[in-house]
Amino acid sequence: DGGITQSPKYLFRKEGQNVTLSCEQNLNHDAMYWYRQDPGQGLRLIYYSQIVNDFQKGDIAEGYSVSREKKESFPLTVTSAQKNPTAFYLCATAKWTSGRSGTDTQYFGPGTRLTVL
Amino acid sequence: DAKTTQPPSMDCAEGRAANLPCNHSTISGNEYVYWYRQIHSQGPQYIIHGLKNNETNEMASLIITEDRKSSTLILPHATLRDTAVYYCIVRTYSGAGSYQLTFGKGTKLSVIP
């Protein structure tokens, strides 16, 4: 964390509403990631982006959408198509290695806990 | 699926060394072992990573066996603030310069006063 901001910390929405989670970073990292965590479980990858205007689906992308218009920002929209949206959502960032052969260590934000009522 | 196996829980007395084991018998030659920890309701915190040599930083030491099939994270003097879930992860290459972290359920370390 430190240079990764996720807001708000807690978010409540009614069933059937789309909701957008914010992730902002000032680390000048190229890559950004979204994970979902359910109680007692590890993290699962939703989407990731290695450069502006490009992103890739992770393991559980259905019912989610993202955009990457700026290097600093990678918002995640949880759509009404997501069957079980209540979860803890985590954003992470990573820089490219000096030789640009791949991305380096991922660092995580503080997370947003979404509850759909 | 996670490529690692960890015990679900461990206890450690405050002030003693905490040794957290991890098995990764299917690790490939160029895959790194990463350790993160997560305190309840917070984002995971990076601890350390290594390829085949032992590594040490201000937080912990990482001991990787010569065959690379297992590793141990060592917290030299555990404090109550070290109580957390510790994740051992084999970082895998997913193409186009991107690496993926696959989280398992980790080890819940409880530091006892």
Side-chain angles (χ1 to χ4, degrees), chain B:
Chain B
D1 289 335
K3 296 181 66 172
T4 60
T5 304
Q6 299 177 254
S9 64
M10 291 182 64
D11 292 339
C12 177
E14 188 178 16
R16 303 297 294 270
N19 297 290
L20 290 88
C22 180
N23 287 324
H24 31 79
S25 58
T26 61
I27 193 170
S28 298
N30 58 353
E31 291 178 332
Y32 280 77
V33 178
Y34 273 74
W35 283 83
Y36 286 81
R37 72 181 183 183
Q38 187 176 26
I39 296 170
H40 184 62
S41 293
Q42 297 182 21
Q45 178 188 21
Y46 164 75
I47 301 173
I48 199 168
H49 72 280
L51 183 62
K52 50 186 175 182
N53 296 323
N54 297 338
E55 302 287 344
T56 296
N57 63 19
E58 64 278 4
M59 289 183 68
S61 294
L62 175 61
I63 309 297
I64 302 175
T65 58
E66 195 168 340
D67 64 6
R68 301 212 325 122
K69 293 185 176 182
S70 66
S71 60
T72 301
L73 179 75
I74 302 172
L75 307 178
H77 305 287
T79 71
L80 298 179
R81 287 177 294 184
D82 292 323
T83 292
V85 177
Y86 287 76
Y87 295 100
C88 169
I89 300 162
V90 171
R91 191 185 72 161
T92 56
Y93 186 65
S94 53
S98 180
Y99 292 90
Q100 188 156 334
L101 302 178
T102 302
F103 285 76
K105 294 185 179 181
T107 295
K108 179 169 175 51
L109 175 69
S110 298
V111 180
I112 311 300

Side-chain angles (χ1 to χ4, degrees), chain A:
Chain A
D1 54 10
I4 303 170
T5 304
Q6 291 187 247
S7 59
K9 188 172 177 64
Y10 298 97
L11 192 54
F12 297 88
R13 280 295 182 270
K14 292 183 179 179
E15 192 173 350
Q17 290 181 334
N18 291 354
V19 59
T20 297
L21 280 60
S22 166
C23 179
E24 303 281 332
Q25 55 108 353
N26 62 5
L27 301 171
N28 199 34
H29 285 178
D30 294 280
M32 297 185 74
Y33 308 79
W34 275 106
Y35 291 86
R36 168 188 172 130
Q37 186 175 33
D38 293 287
Q41 305 296 315
L43 282 66
R44 292 183 290 167
L45 183 64
I46 305 173
Y47 268 100
Y48 65 99
S49 167
Q50 294 187 223
I51 55 172
V52 174
N53 294 322
D54 186 62
F55 46 83
Q56 306 296 327
K57 292 182 178 180
D59 300 320
I60 56 165
E62 185 175 351
Y64 299 97
S65 65
V66 294
S67 63
R68 186 86 188 276
E69 298 177 0
K70 300 186 300 181
K71 188 175 184 178
E72 302 80 15
S73 178
F74 190 40
L76 173 75
T77 297
V78 184
T79 75
S80 57
Q82 169 50 233
K83 300 287 186 230
N84 298 296
T86 294
F88 189 41
Y89 290 89
L90 289 147
C91 176
T93 72
K95 63 180 181 180
W96 281 85
T97 57
S98 57
R100 296 194 71 79
S101 60
T103 50
D104 209 330
T105 300
Q106 291 184 29
Y107 294 92
F108 286 83
T112 291
R113 189 167 298 279
L114 173 65
T115 301
V116 176
L117 306 172

